[in-house]
Amino acid sequence: QSGDAGQESQMVGLGRDVTDRKQREEALAFMADASETLSSTLDYERTLREVARLAVPRLADCCVVHVLGTNGDLDQLAVVHVDPAKEALVRELESRFPADPRLEESVVGGVLRSRKPLLVSHVDDDVVKEIAQGEEHLEGLRRLRIGSLLIVPLVVRGQTTGAVTLLAGESGRHFVAEDVEVASDLARHAALSVDNARLYAQRSRIASTLQRSLLPSGLPDVPGIELAARYFAA
């Protein structure tokens, strides 16, 4: 609006916050990429490694994927960090201080038992002390400078098969409810892909065993001729 002297004295502006819409669009784009990537392989270990690579840095600064072994222990299948030095530190800490899901104080174990995500939006030193398994472990965790923590379970067919742990530090971000939804969707897609991969591997073993049983136990020795027996499905 112009004043008496012809100079601008006031200005009226309109604005609209599109942050929520942009976040939803990014989440949809991320899940579309994740679905395409996870459906491209029937190797379940590779599938879970792809989960970690998908999550960093779009969802978190660090991602660790664990699966439950037949003996009840947690097997670490993937670790990805935006900082290679800290990725090595995470691997070292995981090797020296493995999480035991059977312990009551285990945060991963709590997620596996409850089958519900765990969100610690702001991680302070008191939280780090609760997680640590002694002074050396505490010192290592402090070096990671974890600012936020999110753990989601891998559940398929009513069975908990593992967990995905997301950490934020370098980026300064703090996980919120929307991140829990995206991470949970990723975990569901991953768990289903893992289940399909395991079923495929099981069927392949059965088919291979059946094929071997249908082959002759031995071939005659004919001078001057090489013989071979192969199975072809009809």
Side-chain angles (χ1 to χ4, degrees):
Q1 179 177 342
S2 300
D4 295 339
Q7 296 179 345
E8 299 294 334
S9 60
Q10 295 181 7
M11 182 179 68
V12 177
L14 295 175
R16 182 171 61 180
D17 188 353
V18 296
T19 302
D20 290 343
R21 186 180 69 183
K22 183 174 177 59
Q23 288 178 340
R24 286 194 295 270
E25 290 174 352
E26 290 178 348
L28 289 173
F30 172 76
M31 287 311 306
D33 291 343
S35 298
E36 181 179 355
T37 301
L38 294 177
S39 63
S40 65
T41 176
L42 286 171
D43 182 334
Y44 90 93
E45 291 189 4
R46 181 182 170 188
T47 296
L48 291 176
R49 293 189 182 101
E50 288 297 332
V51 169
R53 282 190 281 269
L54 285 166
V56 178
R58 293 175 71 174
L59 288 185
D61 299 320
C62 179
C63 179
V64 182
V65 180
H66 291 99
V67 293
L68 274 172
T70 55
N71 57 357
D73 291 336
L74 278 176
D75 297 327
Q76 178 204 105
L77 280 191
V79 176
V80 177
H81 198 294
V82 293
D83 183 342
K86 287 190 175 181
E87 181 175 314
L89 175 58
V90 173
R91 293 182 185 276
E92 179 188 350
L93 293 176
E94 286 280 322
S95 175
R96 295 180 59 194
F97 308 99
D100 188 343
R102 290 160 293 209
L103 297 179
E104 189 67 27
E105 60 270 22
S106 169
V107 289
V108 177
V111 170
L112 295 177
R113 288 188 291 271
S114 69
R115 297 181 184 175
K116 295 180 180 179
L118 170 67
L119 169 65
V120 184
S121 185
H122 293 270
V123 175
D124 56 22
D125 199 57
D126 289 337
V127 174
V128 176
K129 287 178 181 178
E130 291 181 12
I131 298 173
Q133 302 177 29
E135 288 299 321
E136 287 188 66
H137 192 203
L138 174 61
E139 180 60 30
L141 291 175
R142 283 172 172 166
R143 287 166 57 194
L144 290 175
R145 298 185 181 278
I146 303 170
S148 196
L149 167 69
L150 173 58
I151 306 175
V152 291
L154 293 167
V155 182
V156 67
R157 302 180 189 274
Q159 297 292 324
T160 305
T161 59
V164 178
T165 300
L166 302 175
L167 305 173
E170 281 71 10
S171 63
R173 70 181 295 172
H174 293 278
F175 299 125
V176 294
E178 289 77 7
D179 295 310
V180 177
E181 293 179 10
V182 175
S184 297
D185 281 345
L186 176 63
R188 280 191 289 269
H189 280 74
L192 184 59
S193 296
V194 168
D195 190 55
N196 289 337
R198 284 177 167 170
L199 288 174
Y200 176 79
Q202 182 181 23
R203 292 195 189 102
S204 296
R205 286 194 298 270
I206 293 173
S208 179
T209 300
L210 176 61
Q211 290 171 15
R212 285 197 299 269
S213 69
L214 296 174
L215 291 172
S217 58
L219 296 174
D221 184 12
V222 181
I225 299 177
E226 293 183 358
L227 302 178
R230 296 188 181 180
Y231 177 94
F232 291 96

